[in-house]
Amino acid sequence: MEFKDYYKTLGISRDATAEEIKKAFRRLARKYHPDVSKETDAEHKMKEVNEANAVLSDPEKRAAYDQLGQGRGFQAGSDFQPPPGWDAGFEFSGRGFNGAQAADFSDFFAELFGKQAGAGARQSHRRMRGEDHHAKIMLDLEDTYHGASRSLTLRMPRLDHQGRTLLTEHTLNVRIPKGVHAGQVIRLAGQGGPGIAGEAAGDLFLEVQFHPHSRYRIEKKDVYAALPAAPWEAALGATVKIPVPDGLVEVRVPENSQSGRKLRLKGRGIPAAMPGDLYLVLEVVLPPATTEKAREFYQTMAQELAFNPRQNLEV
């Protein structure tokens, strides 16, 4: 997937005002609109212009896009994968965008903003009620095992009187329920946009994701972790103690185990209503041959075991 430099596409500076973005879009639309343009690649160019305008003319999407590129040196056309949690902490309103229009946009746009498509459609039948807002929040894995109270700061873009995007912050105290999993949404009633003429405020929906963990890997409700084992524990079998997110457990390592073997602890994954499993992936760790005694031991093994780990490789 290629990174899109939307400012370059519209030919404007990164501090352009809303009015400058509008003028640039109109100028390029007159140049590339397929009905009037004589450019050979007019249709493709027009799609790029529409996509850039869809992001930069929307204060919320523009603020998130600017945050994504800030200090990272992404270049137009370079290989790109969004960093984990790149949009966490941004509060978006429920306006969404036109689904038919989105179908013409790039994979880059879909990866960054695709989940917002059509978010505002359900509000149309009750226009006086406040808009629902949504934001992504990043939690630690331990939060779901024990539950937690977190103070979260969300940023919401707005336009100043010069048409430039500013970020305003507000802080919420949120109770994180035990067993929450990635992709689950926490609803905060009445914490969205204000209602009009006395109508109720909208709701705020917080989509949960987890920070990358130094030891654990999360797949849906299952959790994976390495289980280091000495060669004699793997060969002879052993019962070992190991810390897991919800405490300390004893695990039986079967004899003649190899690195990569998965030991399943049923129900010890994300503790949701239907809990996931915890998988311990065996990792046989060799003692270093840094002493004369250790070297002699390895030499004895080499001579007496006659073991060739490559005997099944094809020629």
Side-chain angles (χ1 to χ4, degrees):
M1 183 169 59
E2 294 184 353
F3 181 81
K4 299 287 187 179
D5 187 336
Y6 292 134
Y7 290 98
K8 184 177 180 180
T9 298
L10 294 187
I12 55 177
S13 66
R14 303 192 77 84
D15 62 351
T17 65
E19 185 60 30
E20 289 169 339
I21 293 171
K22 186 184 298 185
K23 288 181 179 179
F25 172 70
R26 289 175 176 172
R27 173 177 54 81
L28 292 172
R30 287 193 296 269
K31 180 177 181 180
Y32 293 120
H33 196 287
D35 292 342
V36 297
S37 178
K38 296 181 180 180
E39 302 283 341
T40 55
D41 57 350
E43 184 175 357
H44 175 69
K45 288 288 188 182
M46 194 65 236
K47 288 181 179 180
E48 291 185 332
V49 169
N50 280 333
E51 180 174 330
N53 183 64
V55 174
L56 299 185
S57 65
D58 184 319
E60 297 174 1
K61 291 184 178 65
R62 181 183 181 183
Y65 173 76
D66 288 346
Q67 178 70 22
L68 172 68
Q70 191 172 32
R72 292 188 172 96
F74 294 130
Q75 300 293 324
S78 61
D79 289 338
F80 170 80
Q81 287 296 328
W86 72 272
D87 57 344
F90 279 98
E91 183 175 336
F92 295 94
S93 68
R95 290 193 296 271
F97 55 87
N98 182 278
Q101 185 185 40
D104 290 333
F105 290 166
S106 68
D107 291 343
F108 175 81
F109 180 94
E111 179 69 25
L112 300 188
F113 304 110
K115 290 184 179 180
Q116 298 171 35
R122 58 182 176 154
Q123 299 284 342
S124 60
H125 66 286
R126 46 182 180 182
R127 298 176 185 275
M128 304 298 287
R129 179 183 179 274
E131 284 187 313
D132 288 341
H133 289 187
H134 57 96
K136 181 184 293 183
I137 59 174
M138 303 295 291
L139 301 178
D140 295 327
L141 177 62
E142 291 76 9
D143 291 338
T144 188
Y145 272 89
H146 307 292
S149 293
R150 290 286 176 261
S151 179
L152 304 175
T153 298
L154 300 180
R155 295 160 290 170
M156 189 163 188
R158 66 175 179 84
L159 293 178
D160 65 11
H161 65 280
Q162 294 180 324
R164 290 188 169 85
T165 301
L166 299 178
L167 288 175
T168 58
E169 295 185 347
H170 67 107
T171 301
L172 298 168
N173 292 316
V174 180
R175 176 64 186 169
I176 308 300
K178 180 179 178 178
V180 69
H181 56 85
Q184 186 171 334
V185 173
I186 300 173
R187 173 176 173 261
L188 302 182
Q191 297 293 312
I196 300 174
E199 291 293 326
D203 299 331
L204 173 60
F205 295 90
L206 302 177
E207 179 191 339
V208 171
Q209 295 295 333
F210 292 109
H211 292 292
H213 200 286
S214 59
R215 184 178 169 215
Y216 300 107
R217 176 172 58 87
I218 306 168
E219 289 189 8
K220 297 181 179 179
K221 297 180 184 179
D222 294 332
V223 179
Y224 292 78
L227 173 56
W232 48 90
E233 292 174 330
L236 304 177
T239 298
V240 300
K241 288 186 177 181
I242 184 172
V244 295
D246 58 350
L248 194 67
V249 297
E250 286 191 346
V251 180
R252 177 64 186 170
V253 178
E255 63 182 30
N256 292 317
S257 293
Q258 299 285 347
S259 286
R261 182 168 188 168
K262 294 180 183 177
L263 306 180
R264 177 190 179 208
L265 301 186
K266 186 177 180 180
R268 299 299 289 265
I270 301 296
M274 296 183 64
D277 298 327
L278 174 62
Y279 291 92
L280 301 176
V281 183
L282 198 66
E283 185 179 274
V284 178
V285 181
L286 299 177
T290 53
T291 66
E292 187 60 31
K293 187 174 182 179
R295 291 181 60 83
E296 289 177 359
F297 178 76
Y298 277 118
Q299 288 169 354
T300 299
M301 289 179 62
Q303 294 168 2
E304 296 188 5
L305 294 183
F307 173 64
N308 181 6
R310 296 169 295 281
Q311 62 182 354
N312 294 324
L313 296 182
E314 295 182 1
V315 178

